Amino acid sequence: MKFKYVVIHYAEIALKGNNRGFFEDALKNNIEKALKKESIKFLLKKISGRFVVELDEEADEGEKGYKKISEILKNVIGIAHFSYAIKCPCEIDAIKDTAVFLLSGKNFNTFRISAVRADKKFPWTSQQINEIVGERIIADLKKNVSLKNFDAEVIIEITTRSAFLYTKKFGCIGGLPVGVSGKVVSLISGGIDSPVSSFYAMKRGCEVVFVHFHSFPYTGIESLEKVKTIVKILDKFQFEGKIYFVPFADLQREIFVNTAGEFERFRIVLYRRFMLRIAEKVCEKEDAKAIITGDAIGQVASQTLENIKTISEACLISILRPLIGFDKEEIINKAKEIGTYEISILPHCDTCTRFMPKHPATKAKIEIVKKIEKNLDVEKLVEDALSKVEIVEI
Ligand code: ATP
Ligand code: MG
């Protein structure tokens, strides 16, 4: 007997009422895309509220083949957990034999059987299946049942046509399949936070398009390469990525020369307002419904509530900040988990440091910022930056 099947469970999708079919199709599509991208041969079916992937006969059952599949599935957002399973007919004797096969040769003392009936026409209840199969294990393998402190578990899923049995569950990210919530534009800086905030947007079903502001050629090409590498890493969650690289140096210089003396403190807030205006235009072009940033309250000078308010006023579209309540340590841990941390900590300089103020305003009043902007041709600066955008597909 071979673990030729992968039983995939999704959690939240089941709760979404009328949207259920739409969510299931999206998840199915994403699983197929992810496996095909790695040239895995398979057949995917929806059976009784779960997905079952039938692997190719030649699939390497050893660590190599299954490890690769696990790596892929683990990153498909929307999957709650999956298991490598053996399929048998929906007959109690076949189920008993398969359960014995699964536990034979395993080193354990106590066990439990956990049956789930997706097909209520099966003549035994879940509890009866647990007892019948359990008795057989006790008789054949001389082991004891322990429902709470067990060393081994056999999970039996009875579907309309077959039963699937397995002993191990692999937990996944959960969330909603990428794409079901629509599109967003994420401001990605190359720092630690914005890749994590982009991930959280994906986790709630958003397809993410990236926008990065840079001062190349005044700053090195490395910062652009760095953002591409980060987006490539994030692509394992959404399969393809698009980055808008926006040249920002001319705009920064214009703000710089208009903010001498007492107004110097407002530069960062002004830069951020222009970033949002440009991102809002990208949203229009992409038909995206919101902007995502990696802000967390109070982390740096520009992220006080007062500044966030003044910055947000620059555009009409919703700005979502998935990290707003996170501590830096929590963000770092998540960045390590999703694989972006090691790249994010590499030294980089996305925008010219000489344009930065020494003491940024922490409570930038909207009236003052607007007064400064009166001396700038806001629309033209935005249009100029947009006309020089370079779009890179990853
Ligand atoms: P990060 O680690 O994401 O850079 P941060 O804590 O360094 O965040 P800031 O540098 O103030 O904070 O940036 C706040 C947010 O503004 C970022 O999370 C990002 O969403 C956006 N942002 C900052 N710089 C850029 C940039 N060069 N291009 C695109 N977005 C940017
Ligand atoms: Mg930053």
Side-chain angles (χ1 to χ4, degrees):
M1 278 191 256
K2 208 175 166 186
F3 291 87
K4 236 185 82 181
Y5 297 86
V6 193
V7 178
I8 298 176
H9 282 270
Y10 37 91
E12 212 166 339
I13 299 177
L15 307 173
K16 296 282 167 182
N18 290 342
N19 275 339
R20 187 177 170 144
F22 170 61
F23 284 71
E24 284 174 337
D25 287 348
L27 181 57
K28 184 166 183 266
N29 220 333
N30 290 352
I31 296 170
E32 282 174 343
K33 253 196 227 166
L35 291 172
K36 275 184 193 155
K37 200 173 163 190
E38 297 296 328
S39 313
I40 308 279
K41 286 190 201 155
F42 65 95
L43 203 80
L44 176 61
K45 280 187 193 154
K46 205 189 108 197
I47 304 176
S48 313
R50 68 266 285 142
F51 289 116
V52 177
V53 177
E54 182 177 349
L55 298 171
D56 191 65
E57 277 300 337
E58 290 143 37
D60 173 18
E61 206 174 307
E63 283 285 288
K64 253 190 188 165
Y66 283 12
K67 213 172 185 178
K68 190 170 164 190
I69 295 166
S70 300
E71 278 305 307
I72 300 166
L73 293 179
K74 175 179 113 200
N75 293 324
V76 177
I77 296 175
I79 298 181
H81 57 88
F82 68 88
S83 299
Y84 295 98
I86 295 180
K87 181 169 104 167
C88 75
C90 269
E91 291 159 10
I92 198 72
D93 285 336
I95 291 171
K96 283 195 257 181
D97 291 345
T98 310
V100 170
F101 171 81
L102 275 175
L103 291 181
S104 296
K106 272 205 160 66
N107 185 15
F108 70 103
N109 291 316
T110 54
F111 74 98
R112 69 168 285 162
I113 307 290
S114 307
V116 197
R117 259 188 336 160
D119 179 17
K120 303 287 184 221
K121 286 195 212 94
F122 191 71
W124 286 275
T125 65
S126 301
Q127 184 50 30
Q128 284 169 330
I129 302 168
N130 292 343
E131 286 166 15
I132 295 167
V133 178
E135 272 167 29
R136 171 75 184 275
I137 302 288
I138 296 168
D140 280 28
L141 303 179
K142 315 282 181 260
K143 305 288 182 186
N144 301 314
V145 171
S146 172
L147 295 184
K148 284 212 175 117
N149 300 311
F150 49 89
D151 310 323
E153 182 181 23
V154 176
I155 296 144
I156 304 171
E157 297 193 17
I158 312 279
T159 68
T160 34
R161 266 182 240 148
S162 324
F164 293 91
L165 286 84
Y166 54 88
T167 57
K168 200 172 165 199
K169 278 185 192 174
F170 294 86
C172 300
I173 297 167
L176 302 174
V178 170
V180 297
S181 302
K183 216 188 255 184
V184 294
V185 161
S186 177
L187 299 191
I188 190 141
S189 71
I192 297 169
D193 305 341
S194 38
V196 177
S197 59
S198 307
F199 165 77
Y200 276 112
M202 291 175 189
K203 189 168 178 245
R204 296 313 298 167
C206 299
E207 182 191 333
V208 177
V209 171
F210 299 90
V211 176
H212 176 71
F213 298 89
H214 66 84
S215 301
F216 182 77
Y218 306 100
T219 52
I221 190 92
E222 311 82 58
S223 86
L224 305 190
E225 291 305 321
K226 190 177 172 186
V227 170
K228 283 185 202 166
T229 309
I230 288 173
V231 169
K232 240 179 239 167
I233 295 169
L234 291 171
D235 270 359
K236 67 186 173 202
F237 304 111
Q238 68 167 12
F239 323 114
E240 56 229 341
K242 192 195 258 186
I243 315 169
Y244 283 70
F245 283 108
V246 187
F248 208 52
D250 291 346
L251 210 156
Q252 276 192 302
R253 189 180 305 105
E254 190 65 21
I255 293 172
F256 180 83
V257 298
N258 278 283
T259 48
E262 56 165 334
F263 293 137
E264 182 192 317
R265 302 188 297 128
F266 297 96
R267 277 178 201 154
I268 290 188
V269 168
L270 288 158
Y271 299 153
R272 292 276 180 271
R273 282 169 62 88
F274 274 93
M275 285 185 185
L276 287 180
R277 288 183 179 113
I278 292 166
E280 190 174 34
K281 293 279 182 199
V282 176
C283 285
E284 278 168 29
K285 188 169 168 242
E286 288 285 337
D287 194 22
K289 302 288 186 288
I291 293 172
I292 308 287
T293 78
D295 295 312
I297 296 177
Q299 202 188 89
V300 295
S302 64
Q303 296 170 0
T304 62
L305 279 183
E306 289 87 347
N307 282 357
I308 287 176
K309 181 169 180 253
T310 301
I311 292 168
S312 307
E313 199 268 353
C315 69
L316 288 174
I317 196 163
S318 310
I319 306 161
L320 307 178
R321 299 176 170 91
L323 306 184
I324 204 72
F326 282 59
D327 296 339
K328 193 72 188 184
E329 203 184 329
E330 291 171 298
I331 300 172
I332 288 174
N333 288 341
K334 199 68 196 176
K336 286 180 180 165
E337 211 180 295
I338 62 175
T340 53
Y341 180 76
E342 295 303 327
I343 306 296
S344 289
I345 55 171
L346 297 174
H348 77 290
C349 191
D350 42 19
T351 45
C352 265
T353 39
R354 77 183 180 92
F355 293 138
M356 289 300 168
K358 279 193 205 78
H359 304 288
T362 53
K363 290 182 181 176
K365 288 242 175 336
I366 185 76
E367 299 77 28
I368 303 178
V369 170
K370 280 192 166 167
K371 201 170 131 193
I372 302 169
E373 284 180 351
K374 276 221 174 89
N375 295 325
L376 302 167
D377 191 341
V378 173
E379 242 169 78
K380 184 168 182 302
L381 288 169
V382 169
E383 286 311 318
D384 279 355
L386 279 167
S387 69
K388 290 177 212 137
V389 159
E390 194 200 337
I391 302 174
V392 175
E393 311 248 2
I394 302 277

